[in-house]
Amino acid sequence: MSLPAATATTTAAPALTPGPLPEIAAAPAPMPDLAPTIAGAATASPPVAAAPVPARPSPAAPVPTPVAALPPAPNGRSGRRSLALVGAVAAVVIGGAAAGALDPLLAILMAALLVALWLSLRPAPPAPVPVVTPLPAAPPPARDSQACAVVAALPEPALLLSAAGNIITANQRVALALGPTRVGDPLSFVVRVPEVLDAVRAAAADGVPRRVEFAERIPLDRWLEAHVVPLRLHVSPERAPDAVLLTFRDLTQQRRVEQMRADFVANASHELRTPLASLSGFIETLQGPARNDTPARERFLAIMAAQARRMSRLIDDLLSLSRIELNAHVQPQTKVDLGAIIAHVCDTLSPLARDRGVELEQVRETADLEILGDRDELIRLFENLVENALKYGAAGKKVEVRLARENGTAVVSVRDFGPGISPEHLPRLTERFYRVDVAASRDQGGTGLGLAIVKHIVARHRGRLGVESELGNGAIFSVRMEALPNPEKNL
């Protein structure tokens, strides 16, 4: 092998006097740290480790490139090719030094450079990944199971929000009142009322509860009341709230009742004021200029009697409506024969039909038809429908009352062949004191409460009221109620 020859040649290197090298002589500064580098190279490479290192390097030795300045070690196939190239150059240098073609000192320097290059090209071991242990944090309000359970149990629509206004949890009533919600979404995705959003932000900042009333017009008119209550779930009472509880209260029914009561008082007072004013005027006239005028006195007394009857009907209708509303939640449980009730109503109103010149016709498609109901209220119900048909549909000269059974349902329809009702009036026919033609209604002695009474009686019997009408083709008022099974007949 050539390794002993290289060792012998390297040992005899101090006795030789090498010729001057221009590039080495041009180095201005000595390299004091060459011995440790060469010692490390000798340790890493066995062939070069056998060569003795002079205790004091030559001043003309070049400065080796620091390892830190070399490019990062390549990986993969390119790194293996670079290592193979360095090994080939090292073999050439060692072979040249052994053959005496290279100066021993120059060979040592080149070997040191090759060793340094070889070390830099070796793939570096992977650096250990530092393990960062996160600091324990307090659980966020979104995962507070007790608060979520309380929100789910509230009887009104409720949402638990973070301090930033994001939804933490919501109960099932929110979906019915406001729409579907999703955890993590901002509150503005569900509630688009600026006053409510501002109240939530202010309550989260200062910790003061707030109340906001607002109205919605789409898809229906609604009035809602929002209560904003800041909560401190995981912080001390001295710090800002970390959650906000938002609840909603539906005020629609209350506002409608208030509006209905106000309209009722206004309309009732107006309806009573008119006949009272007429009575007062006629009384003053009879006491004064018409004291001895017999024809005028007879005419005035007839008008006064009509106004008194009108007031009496109005008071009776108001009392009837109050009684029906008082028992609206109690469904009647008495069996009544609907056919007998219709026959009674038609017999009672037949004189009015003759006076108006109208034919009142009964059509019975079934013989026996029983329902659970209140006889007096049902008589009042169908009297109002037939009387309205006789008064306002007299131009058609015919009113048809039909009784039928349809799939277990009792159907009573009252049809007139008069002028009909415009479509814009149909939705409001059952409102109190609403009239399609005010003057005609008063001339006919109507109070404006007949169809309102009909609606409440039908609602108490758990039935449905339908109205169909076209201008020029009359109107059809139909009442549908649950019928009892046909009574068994003894054979």
Side-chain angles (χ1 to χ4, degrees):
M1 298 294 292
S2 59
L3 185 58
T7 305
T9 304
T10 306
T11 305
L16 299 177
T17 303
L21 297 176
E23 59 275 12
I24 298 177
M31 186 179 63
D33 56 346
L34 184 59
T37 304
I38 297 174
T43 306
S45 177
V48 182
V53 180
R56 187 172 180 270
S58 172
V63 180
T65 304
V67 177
L70 295 175
N75 296 323
R77 295 182 177 179
S78 59
R80 290 192 292 270
R81 292 195 193 99
S82 301
L83 290 175
L85 181 59
V86 171
V89 174
V92 172
V93 171
I94 294 173
L102 293 177
D103 183 69
L105 182 59
L106 180 59
I108 294 173
L109 293 177
M110 293 181 67
L113 291 175
L114 290 173
V115 169
L117 182 60
W118 179 74
L119 291 175
S120 65
L121 291 177
R122 285 199 319 173
V129 179
V131 178
V132 180
T133 303
L135 296 177
R143 302 307 175 191
D144 193 304
S145 59
Q146 294 182 352
C148 294
V150 170
V151 171
L154 290 176
E156 297 177 345
L159 298 97
L160 184 62
L161 310 173
S162 65
N166 298 327
I167 298 176
I168 296 175
T169 185
N171 59 11
Q172 296 179 354
R173 296 163 186 82
V174 173
L176 300 176
L178 304 175
T181 59
R182 187 171 61 180
V183 175
D185 286 349
L187 177 63
S188 58
F189 284 11
V190 182
V191 181
R192 296 174 178 84
V193 181
E195 293 80 4
V196 176
L197 301 178
D198 294 341
V200 171
R201 285 191 290 266
D206 56 19
V208 178
R210 285 169 170 80
R211 184 179 67 89
V212 179
E213 291 187 9
F214 62 96
E216 292 184 348
R217 302 300 179 187
I218 298 175
L220 298 174
D221 290 344
R222 294 193 308 167
W223 288 266
L224 298 173
E225 182 183 48
H227 292 269
V228 183
V229 181
L231 301 177
R232 295 174 175 86
L233 302 179
H234 301 284
V235 296
S236 60
E238 292 77 12
R239 297 184 59 184
D242 57 352
V244 176
L245 178 63
L246 178 61
T247 59
F248 294 92
R249 180 187 175 196
D250 194 350
L251 303 178
T252 303
Q253 189 66 22
Q254 177 181 343
R255 293 297 178 87
R256 287 179 178 174
V257 170
E258 293 176 357
Q259 185 66 32
M260 186 182 300
R261 184 182 298 112
D263 294 342
F264 176 78
V265 172
N267 291 315
S269 61
H270 175 73
E271 294 293 332
L272 290 173
R273 186 183 296 113
T274 301
L276 283 175
S278 299
L279 289 174
S280 299
F282 289 131
I283 290 173
E284 292 177 359
T285 303
L286 290 176
Q287 290 177 346
R291 180 190 300 268
N292 299 320
D293 189 349
T294 302
R297 184 171 64 248
E298 295 296 332
R299 182 166 56 90
F300 291 161
L301 288 176
I303 296 175
M304 293 171 63
Q307 295 297 330
R309 287 193 297 269
R310 179 183 172 187
M311 293 178 59
S312 178
R313 287 194 303 269
L314 180 60
I315 294 174
D316 290 341
D317 288 346
L318 290 175
L319 293 176
S320 299
L321 191 58
S322 299
R323 286 193 298 267
I324 296 170
E325 289 181 337
L326 183 63
N327 299 322
H329 62 286
V330 181
Q331 183 177 3
Q333 299 295 325
T334 305
K335 288 184 180 182
V336 294
D337 186 359
L338 204 55
I341 292 176
I342 297 300
H344 173 77
V345 169
C346 291
D347 292 341
T348 303
L349 295 177
S350 57
L352 178 62
R354 287 193 298 269
D355 294 342
R356 302 275 177 166
V358 178
E359 178 187 358
L360 183 58
E361 179 183 0
Q362 299 184 52
V363 179
R364 300 186 61 172
E365 298 181 359
T366 180
D368 300 319
L369 189 57
E370 292 183 340
I371 64 171
L372 296 178
D374 187 310
R375 177 180 173 82
D376 294 337
E377 289 186 359
L378 291 175
I379 291 176
R380 185 68 180 273
L381 161 65
F382 295 115
E383 278 183 349
N384 287 345
L385 291 179
V386 175
E387 186 177 357
N388 285 345
L390 293 174
K391 289 180 178 179
Y392 305 109
K397 302 301 180 181
K398 181 180 179 181
V399 172
E400 180 183 277
V401 181
R402 183 180 297 273
L403 177 63
R405 179 193 294 268
E406 296 180 2
N407 299 325
T409 302
V411 181
V412 179
S413 60
V414 178
R415 180 179 182 182
D416 66 76
F417 298 86
I421 305 172
S422 300
E424 62 270 16
H425 297 295
L426 295 179
R428 302 188 60 186
L429 286 178
T430 57
E431 292 183 10
R432 301 179 184 184
F433 301 107
Y434 183 81
R435 296 180 174 92
V436 176
D437 189 341
V438 178
S441 175
R442 288 179 177 174
D443 291 341
Q444 298 293 341
T447 62
L449 296 175
L451 291 180
I453 294 175
V454 168
K455 179 187 70 174
H456 285 280
I457 294 177
V458 172
R460 188 189 175 211
H461 287 74
R462 307 301 187 263
R464 296 191 304 275
L465 175 65
V467 183
E468 301 176 11
S469 179
E470 293 182 3
L471 289 177
N473 294 326
I476 302 176
F477 289 81
S478 59
V479 177
R480 297 175 179 271
M481 299 180 183
E482 184 179 358
L484 297 177
N486 288 327
E488 297 180 359
K489 298 181 179 180
N490 297 326
L491 298 178

